[in-house]
Amino acid sequence: MTGKAERMTGARAFVECLYRENVEIIFGYPGGVLLPIYDELYDAHLHHLLVRHEQAAVHAAEGYARATGKVGVCLATSGPGATNLVTGIANAYMDSIPMVAFTGQVPSSMLGNDAFQEADITGITMPITKHNYLVQDVKDLPRIIKEAFHIASTGRPGPVLVDIPKDITTDELDFVYPDTVELRGYKPTFKGNAQQVKRAASVIKGAKRPVIYAGGGVIGSEASKELLAFAEKLKAPVTTTLTGIGGFPNDNELYLGMPGMHGTKYANYAIQESDVLIAVGVRFDDRVTGKTTSFAPNAKVIHIDIDPAEISKIIKVDVPIVGDAKQILGALLEHVSECDTKDWLNKIATWKRDFPLFYVNRNDVIKPQYILEQISEVCPDAIIVTEVGQHQMWAAQYFNYKEPRTFISSGGLGTMGYGFPAAIGAKLGRPDKIVVDVSGDGSFQMNSQEMATIVQNNIPIIIAIFNNGYLGMVRQWQALFFEHRYSHTTIENSVDFVKLAEAYGAMGIRVTKPSEVKAAIEKAVEANGPVLIDFVIEREENVSPMVPAGAAINEILDLEDIQ
């Protein structure tokens, strides 16, 4: 530690710690035990965004982190305030997003007494945080906050929770912020083992049908440029997972699109016929692998990942390399050369020609895929944030992503209600970007109260609601596997979204014809304020292709199979 100690309260120390961590914005909601902290925030040089529900605070913090690469920060009071963060914390944990969640707690003397608004939030969140703390001595507060930011942002990123009893905020300490962090037992491997890198290069050298399978770890480690250079040097095709979208440019001829349940046919076929599968920053999620015993059956698997726990957890790996994707891809570039992939790339080109993503466009009804194509044309550099459901898959398939951190979505947890608040965080983190929340009419209603937040703060977000009057993805499964018995998935005419937007003071636009789609998007962009567009789409449009749960990923249903 360096510098002269200054006497201050824990509440002021909290703010000073955030200054030292270069925090720009906190997403929060006040409460009784947080009053000392909020009193310090009154004069602080920090941007605090008051949301309308704590779940929105945690999702916004995650959206900010995904859009910027920085640690997202949220703040909530004890009891229900803290428990309202749980879903968002779990979401960040599943998708490996750096975030620090601060919660107020009842005074230390009252812990365990079932006090008013007491909840054991450290116990509740233990399985869904990378680490968590209950601060027991105000003198420990600077060290704990320093450690929290370090843990959240190093190794495999993830959420850290810090629970602060009220008396800690009023007690005094001699404040000195630590310069470094020393945590025995926490030493993430950054540099890949040199011998393993050489082994991987040797396997790649003999590949005739290589495929690079890249995930969110590529974006998290800022390895997109290295991935592009690696793929182009090998002349190897690349497929990206849902959370890896944007990590490789869609318009590159080597790009295969997304693999798995709703991936492209040619991405799935390529994985299944590959002889070397180079997995970078992925965890072999079940929505990608399908039936694991049939996944990439003839491939030698090279797995690059920062987390050793992921190696051979689901798919047996032949060459593991534990470390940072950016560093390891850079090292591999020095050891590999172009593979003999001419025949392989020709075969993939044939698949792309014979099995493209497609939909049947019509003049009398709006197709959701068409909306995404028009958004991509009008706003080619936008950040697309999604809720969860059919619209999420269409957004993954039909927008032309060119750079990382431009597709933000709930991957592992699949959280409805995520996209709108995450879009708020993304916009505040990247004010230079147009941000579009692609939403379903079901998902949007889970956090629609945040309309008040964006109007009060004049946050220019475009909300594009794909309104089909159903909980669309559940309805699609009911149609396929439950004989069209639509049990409690119909929500038609439940909300007039245009009136809802206007009631909050935002612009509302309803679009019912394909000819109106592009003009509505252009109008929303020109407005440069909070805008909601209610796109009334084809009611029973399905996501295609689709691999049924439990099937191999080359056992694919086509659009005509899922009507």
Side-chain angles (χ1 to χ4, degrees), residues 510-558:
R510 179 168 292 109
V511 180
T512 60
K513 300 175 183 177
S515 59
E516 301 169 343
V517 170
K518 186 174 182 180
I521 298 166
E522 290 172 338
K523 182 177 181 179
V525 171
E526 185 179 346
N528 193 31
V531 180
L532 182 152
I533 310 176
D534 181 14
F535 290 106
V536 181
I537 65 168
E538 170 77 58
R539 289 209 69 201
E540 296 198 15
E541 185 75 4
N542 289 314
V543 179
S544 176
M546 180 177 179
V547 177
I553 61 170
N554 57 347
E555 298 173 6
I556 303 168
L557 299 177
D558 277 321

Side-chain angles (χ1 to χ4, degrees), residues 37-117:
I37 285 177
Y38 270 86
D39 189 59
E40 288 291 338
L41 288 173
Y42 188 85
D43 296 315
H45 301 295
L46 288 170
H47 183 184
H48 176 283
L49 186 77
L50 175 66
V51 294
R52 297 304 185 269
H53 191 291
E54 292 90 353
Q55 187 181 97
V58 67
H59 289 328
E62 188 184 337
Y64 173 88
R66 289 196 193 216
T68 65
K70 301 174 184 177
V71 177
V73 180
C74 59
L75 177 62
T77 195
S78 63
T83 58
N84 279 341
L85 298 180
V86 169
T87 297
I89 291 170
N91 198 89
Y93 185 72
M94 289 285 281
D95 288 351
S96 304
I97 305 303
M99 184 171 68
V100 177
F102 292 102
T103 51
Q105 184 55 276
V106 300
S108 302
S109 62
M110 299 174 70
L111 285 170
N113 289 338
D114 294 332
F116 177 67
Q117 291 194 332

